[in-house]
Amino acid sequence: MLEKTVSIMNHTGLHARPASQFAQAASKFKSQITIVKDGKAVNAKSMISVLSMAINKGCEIVIRAEGDDENLAIDTLVALVSKFAEEDE
């Protein structure tokens, strides 16, 4: 199992479009992927679950992956979160 902590820097956080893109990206991997915020973990492949976390700008989340493609999953999802912040600039 791998995990990385990331800070959410984009203006809207992981709401609507970013949450949808995140869940779609996570769904492409075989690994089990979760997002952890404030001790609560949800399935990152479910847009509704991602939205339920109320992940706003400035929040820190842990992206956790377990499975055959966990390295690629973590790297891809961390890069995606960074890309959201760049789109705000």
Side-chain angles (χ1 to χ4, degrees):
M1 176 174 54
L2 292 177
E3 63 181 37
K4 281 198 179 177
T5 301
V6 294
S7 295
I8 305 301
M9 301 309 294
N10 61 309
H11 179 71
T12 60
L14 288 186
H15 294 283
R17 183 187 56 80
S20 174
Q21 289 177 334
F22 190 92
Q24 286 175 358
S27 293
K28 293 179 181 178
F29 297 99
K30 292 180 181 178
S31 293
Q32 178 180 339
I33 303 170
T34 55
I35 295 176
V36 182
K37 178 185 166 237
D38 299 331
K40 180 182 175 188
V42 299
N43 179 358
K45 296 179 182 184
S46 164
M47 185 180 90
I48 298 299
S49 294
V50 174
L51 286 171
S52 76
M53 296 292 280
I55 301 170
N56 299 311
K57 182 177 181 179
C59 288
E60 279 198 347
I61 62 170
V62 175
I63 301 172
R64 185 178 293 156
E66 185 172 0
D68 294 338
D69 54 1
E70 61 189 25
N71 287 316
L72 182 59
I74 291 285
D75 291 345
T76 300
L77 296 172
V78 168
L80 182 60
V81 169
S82 298
K83 180 181 169 232
F84 294 151
E86 291 170 7
E87 290 174 356
D88 267 1
E89 295 175 356

